Amino acid sequence: MNAQPLLTTPFDASATAAEVLHGVDLTGRRAVVTGGASGIGTETVRALATAGAKVTIATRRPVAAEPLIRELSAVPGAGPVRAEALDLSDLASVDTFARTWRGPLDILVANAGIMALPTRTVTARGWEMQLATNFLGHFALAGALHARLREAGSARIVVVSSGAHRSAPFDFDDPHFARRPYDPWTAYGQSKSAEVLFTVAARRWADDGITTNALSPGYILTALQRHLDDDTMRAFGVMDAEGNLTPLPHYKTPAQGAATSVLLAASPLLTGVTGRYFEDNQEARVVHGDEERPGGVAAHALDPRAADRLWEYAAGALR
């Protein structure tokens, strides 16, 4: 479990996505960014396309991506950008997206996500919605696009997780809160642990030329907080009495938040690297137990046995 030295890069926490990809030519490379119509997804798309990649924004509402598509169409040298419908909580939607993809896929950024739904919500299959959207939908998408990723010869999967994974290992006995009391943050943290475990288990795809890494983008104010009420936002210190958002000093801009995503997606510094977890553009240290120091990746999210067990669980759930 991370016996090798931690990988470091020249980029610090303040670097932007554009700075990370400065001088990188992605002309002819094809990328899919889920949730690419807002937040750090938009900045991920912007950086990849500006470097020359052909980018498909996979989003529930393709119309929301139209302003970004128009913007990038006017950028000299930028790759073409389009939007396609994808609802990660609906396996039929995932299947349709994957079946209509033609040709190799070089980069898959699993960026879309939901956070802290206030009440337990389940899909038609009975899956808790955060686990369904953040993990199971992306697991299904990656599996359905596996042949296209393999066809690329050297493909990368990037999974946008969160430091919240530290608080909640995956509960194999009751992953959908059918019996235990539902808690929004436990559900969110569990889904993010599942995402990291997926990247560990995906080492089985290394021989197909596919690398898979996870990351925490850091603290950023985006639409991800849309399910939090004003009292919660004020308790976090990011909203004033008048309802104005007030980022704390350690918060990043969306462009900074997307930096680690594009580092893993396209930087030559990550060639051949797989099954690792990054934050602030560096590989994260492993955290054991209830350490209070922020940052790092929990040992439970890197456990190869739990990762393989989760893979089997997810594969069975999709049948």
Side-chain angles (χ1 to χ4, degrees):
M1 198 187 297
N2 262 22
Q4 70 272 49
L6 296 180
L7 189 152
T8 61
T9 81
F11 305 106
D12 63 19
S14 68
T16 66
E19 290 168 345
V20 167
L21 290 190
H22 179 71
V24 176
D25 184 4
L26 299 180
T27 302
R29 303 292 295 276
R30 304 175 75 201
V32 168
V33 180
T34 68
S38 66
I40 64 172
T42 291
E43 297 297 338
T44 301
V45 171
R46 185 176 282 121
L48 293 174
T50 300
K54 301 177 181 178
V55 184
T56 297
I57 299 171
T59 176
R60 292 180 62 183
R61 296 179 58 250
V63 67
E66 290 179 0
L68 179 61
I69 293 172
R70 287 195 298 271
E71 170 201 325
L72 291 171
S73 69
V75 175
V81 180
R82 65 189 179 107
E84 296 290 340
L86 175 66
D87 181 348
L88 288 161
S89 67
D90 180 353
L91 290 185
S93 176
V94 173
D95 181 64
T96 297
F97 182 93
R99 282 191 296 102
T100 56
W101 186 269
R102 296 290 180 268
L105 175 60
D106 301 280
I107 299 166
L108 172 60
V109 183
N111 168 83
I114 54 176
M115 181 177 75
L117 296 182
T119 58
R120 180 177 180 265
T121 306
V122 297
T123 68
R125 286 183 169 233
W127 298 344
E128 190 278 317
M129 187 62 74
Q130 293 182 81
L131 188 64
T133 302
N134 299 348
F135 168 60
L136 287 166
H138 280 127
F139 179 86
L141 180 65
L145 290 171
H146 174 263
R148 302 304 183 188
L149 292 159
R150 182 179 59 209
E151 186 180 347
S154 180
R156 300 188 187 188
I157 300 174
V158 178
V159 180
V160 181
S161 182
S162 165
H165 82 273
R166 283 183 47 179
S167 67
F170 190 82
D171 188 327
F172 287 96
D173 294 325
D174 189 15
H176 302 292
F177 295 83
R179 296 179 300 277
R180 56 179 168 148
Y182 174 77
D183 178 80
W185 292 107
T186 301
Y188 179 65
Q190 173 187 247
S191 74
K192 293 300 171 177
S193 281
E195 289 181 327
V196 184
L197 287 168
F198 164 67
T199 67
V200 175
R203 65 188 182 279
R204 66 192 65 197
W205 287 351
D207 289 344
D208 296 323
I210 303 169
T211 60
T212 309
N213 294 287
L215 68 110
S216 167
Y219 292 96
I220 310 126
L221 289 178
T222 68
L224 186 64
Q225 290 91 17
R226 63 188 177 275
H227 297 292
L228 304 185
D229 60 30
D230 288 356
D231 287 343
T232 300
M233 295 293 281
R234 291 189 182 100
F236 285 166
V238 293
M239 179 178 284
D240 64 21
E242 286 72 42
N244 302 306
L245 294 178
T246 55
L248 295 170
H250 63 280
Y251 272 51
K252 298 182 181 183
T253 66
Q256 292 170 327
T260 309
S261 292
V262 300
L263 176 81
L264 302 186
S267 172
L269 297 172
L270 271 292
T271 300
V273 174
T274 193
R276 305 199 201 183
Y277 178 96
F278 291 74
E279 60 189 3
D280 295 337
N281 299 303
Q282 312 293 332
E283 185 176 5
R285 63 191 177 84
V286 179
V287 176
H288 299 273
D290 297 326
E291 180 183 322
E292 293 185 3
R293 179 181 165 195
V297 56
H300 70 245
L302 297 180
D303 183 344
R305 287 178 295 182
D308 288 338
R309 185 181 177 189
L310 179 67
W311 188 288
E312 295 305 315
Y313 164 78
L318 298 181
R319 293 192 189 105

